[in-house]
């Protein structure tokens, strides 16, 4: 039984609001009973969960340590300073803002620092793996700024920096954004920096996905190259859902003002304390080993899926991400494949495939690696994924195997 179901807080919830307690227990059971292959999800440690559920949630703390708009902030000031100092040490940054509520909030704040409405921005196009905040017409970014999209090479699936440079010289953007939600390879931050300098643009790194790998030394660090780095604190980093911004000292005050008071109100102090816990955990040798295992697992999963007939974008991965086209397996489209896999307890996402060829599948190995799974389990998972998508395996039998596998690697072991 997962340790989370044994907490005193849950006992209180059971007594006071059994209806909501059932929802919490049900979700806890779902997470423990399926394989969580969503690239943006992970399992927080019990210590992170404890900080999230602490009385720090009660404290109103508009402003920054030493300059709050409410009294009684002496202790939450300590928590925020700990989070900031740990993040600065972890990433080698001169300044870190840990108040951003999400990755999107962090990007909004970065734009507020460096851009004005109507400015031109060069970013990865959404069909190639760009995020909503990289120019979607449904998002503030697409409504307030003039986005120009770069894509990936149709043959290799890789970012072509020559194309990025040509677009930058043609459109003279105020800022260039490097980052993606489904690009499985390392980005060349030095190359993007050179292009930005060539055209006099700011460089924003949206490193929401790789930032946990960066902490563990398993991915290149964008901090030395970008004017502002935007990131999340969950995903591979295994912290609470939230965001952060990293920058040099010269932009520190502007970044802080862009978060509060320009785009946000009071800080969520329980979340900031949980971020501090996660940064501390990420500074350990155990986390370094974990980050490298995440990548090793993703590479085995990509290799297995390719051997099983999936079209693996870019031919593999450098990160926790694997993106594939299931169409070669009988013409199955991504959304259909996702539904079949969900019924077997294999939970993952769809993603856009470059050059308008439909929806693919986006998988991640962060959560299953947290559970302790290794290359052997990844190879078996790849075979199960293929069998379900092909409709070559009995879904009920796969569901039982998935349940057994998840049971052998519980996200929150007892004891």
């Amino acid at each position: 039984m997962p340790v989370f179901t044994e907490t005193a807080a849950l006992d209180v919830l059971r007594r006071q609001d059994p209806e909501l307690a059932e929802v919490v227990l049900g979700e806890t059971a779902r997470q423990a009973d399926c394989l969580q292959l969503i690239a943006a999800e992970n399992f927080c440690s019990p210590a992170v969960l404890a900080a999230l559920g602490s009385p720090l949630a009660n404290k109103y703390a508009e402003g920054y340590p030493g300059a709050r708009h409410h009294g009684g902030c002496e202790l939450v000031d300590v928590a925020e300073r700990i989070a900031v100092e740990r993040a600065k040490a972890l990433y080698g940054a001169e300044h870190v803002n840990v108040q951003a509520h999400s990755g999107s909030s962090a990007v909004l704040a970065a734009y507020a620092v460096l851009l004005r409405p109507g400015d031109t921005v060069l970013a990865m196009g959404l069909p190639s793996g760009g995020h909503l905040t990289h120019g979607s017409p449904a998002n503030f970014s697409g409504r307030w700024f003039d986005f120009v999209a770069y894509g990936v090479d149709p043959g290799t699936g890789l970012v072509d920096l020559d194309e990025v440079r040509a677009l930058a010289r043609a459109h003279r953007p105020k800022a260039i954004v490097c980052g993606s939600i489904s690009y499985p390879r390392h980005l060349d931050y030095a190359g993007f920096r050179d292009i930005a300098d060539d055209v006099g643009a700011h460089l924003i790194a949206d490193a929401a996905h790789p930032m946990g790998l960066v902490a563990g030394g398993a991915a290149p660090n964008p901090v030395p190259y970008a004017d502002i780095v935007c990131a999340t604190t969950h995903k591979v980093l295994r912290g609470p859902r939230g965001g952060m911004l990293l920058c040099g000292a010269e932009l520190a005050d502007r970044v802080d003002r862009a978060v509060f008071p320009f785009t946000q109100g009071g800080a969520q102090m329980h979340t900031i304390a949980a971020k501090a816990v996660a940064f501390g955990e990420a500074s350990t040798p155990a986390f370094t080993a974990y980050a490298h295992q995440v990548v090793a697992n993703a590479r085995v999963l990509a290799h297995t899926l390719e051997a099983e007939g999936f079209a693996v974008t870019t031919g593999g991965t450098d990160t926790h991400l694997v993106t594939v086209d299931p169409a070669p397996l009988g013409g199955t489209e991504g959304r259909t494949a996702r539904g079949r896999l969900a019924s077997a307890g294999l939970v993952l996402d769809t993603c856009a495939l470059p050059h308008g060829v439909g929806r693919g599948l986006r998988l991640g190995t962060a959560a299953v690696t947290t559970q302790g799974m290794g290359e052997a389990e990844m190879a078996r998972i790849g075979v199960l994924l293929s069998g379900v998508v092909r409709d070559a395996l009995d879904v009920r039998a796969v569901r039982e195997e998935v349940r057994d596998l998840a049971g052998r690697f519980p996200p929150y072991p007892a004891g």
Side-chain angles (χ1 to χ4, degrees):
M1 181 68 72
V3 294
F4 182 74
T5 63
E6 302 164 2
T7 63
L10 188 56
D11 287 339
V12 172
L13 185 60
R14 282 194 187 100
R15 293 194 299 271
Q16 181 168 322
D17 196 330
E19 184 177 13
L20 261 296
E22 286 304 310
V23 174
V24 173
L25 286 168
E27 175 60 15
T28 303
R30 186 198 68 80
Q31 292 181 19
D33 196 44
C34 300
L35 294 182
Q36 312 305 322
L37 298 168
I38 292 177
E41 291 187 356
N42 210 332
F43 295 108
C44 297
S45 72
V48 169
L49 292 176
L52 281 172
S54 72
L56 294 178
N58 300 328
K59 191 69 197 83
Y60 216 145
E62 285 185 330
Y64 291 96
R68 305 286 189 183
H69 291 261
H70 299 276
C73 289
E74 295 82 5
L75 291 174
V76 295
D77 280 2
V78 173
E80 184 164 347
R81 289 190 180 107
I82 290 172
V84 168
E85 291 306 313
R86 288 180 179 178
K88 286 166 62 178
L90 190 61
Y91 294 107
E94 293 178 346
H95 181 72
V96 179
N97 185 296
V98 296
Q99 290 195 10
H101 296 331
S102 68
S104 294
S105 297
V107 174
L108 172 58
Y111 291 171
V113 172
L114 301 175
L115 303 173
R116 293 294 179 268
D119 281 346
T120 299
V121 185
L122 181 60
M124 181 176 281
L126 272 67
S128 296
H131 189 250
L132 287 171
T133 56
H134 302 171
S136 167
N139 183 261
F140 74 88
S141 58
R143 296 188 183 191
W144 293 353
F145 306 107
D146 177 22
F147 272 82
V148 176
Y150 61 85
V152 295
D153 183 271
T156 65
L158 300 174
V159 172
D160 181 353
L161 286 182
D162 289 337
E163 180 207 16
V164 177
R165 187 181 298 274
L167 287 169
R169 287 177 173 175
H171 296 276
R172 314 301 293 189
K174 186 72 173 293
I176 299 174
V177 180
C178 55
S180 168
I181 61 171
S182 59
Y183 187 70
R185 298 295 185 172
H186 295 321
L187 289 169
D188 182 355
Y189 296 118
F192 273 99
R193 176 77 265 172
D194 183 67
I195 294 170
D197 290 343
D198 182 34
V199 298
H202 299 292
L203 181 63
I204 300 170
D206 187 351
H209 270 276
M211 215 54 175
L213 296 176
V214 174
N221 188 355
V223 169
Y225 303 101
D227 295 292
I228 300 177
V229 176
C230 308
T232 57
T233 52
H234 44 292
K235 301 185 175 73
V236 184
L237 192 56
R238 293 200 298 207
R241 291 190 60 83
M244 62 177 169
L245 297 100
L246 306 91
C247 66
E250 71 282 359
L251 290 178
D253 289 342
R254 291 170 63 187
V255 164
D256 285 350
R257 290 197 303 271
V259 175
F260 174 84
F262 189 72
T263 61
Q264 291 184 183
Q268 297 177 351
M269 296 313 305
H270 58 306
T271 303
I272 288 174
K275 291 175 183 180
V277 174
F279 298 146
E281 293 174 347
S283 66
T284 64
F287 188 89
T288 297
Y290 161 75
H292 285 84
Q293 187 63 56
V294 167
V295 176
N297 282 352
R299 285 175 171 160
V300 169
L301 182 59
H303 176 76
T304 304
L305 293 174
E306 186 172 48
E308 290 289 319
F310 287 90
V312 178
T313 62
T314 77
T317 182
D318 297 325
T319 68
H320 64 300
L321 278 165
V322 180
T323 56
V324 301
D325 184 356
L329 279 65
T332 305
E333 192 266 345
R335 293 184 182 89
T336 301
R338 179 181 64 177
R340 289 182 189 171
L341 292 165
S343 66
L346 297 159
V347 184
L348 44 74
D349 284 332
T350 65
C351 65
L353 292 171
H355 309 292
V357 295
R359 301 290 296 182
L361 299 176
R362 185 184 73 158
L363 307 91
T365 56
V368 290
T369 306
T370 293
Q371 291 175 259
M373 297 184 199
E375 289 98 326
E377 288 76 29
M378 296 307 106
R380 182 57 187 164
I381 289 169
V383 171
L384 294 177
L385 288 161
S386 171
V388 172
V389 173
R390 291 179 188 275
D391 204 16
L393 294 176
D394 180 73
V395 171
R396 289 171 296 182
V398 174
R399 183 68 185 92
E400 285 306 310
E401 184 171 348
V402 166
R403 186 174 285 116
D404 176 71
L405 180 59
R408 288 190 284 117
F409 296 92
Y412 298 107

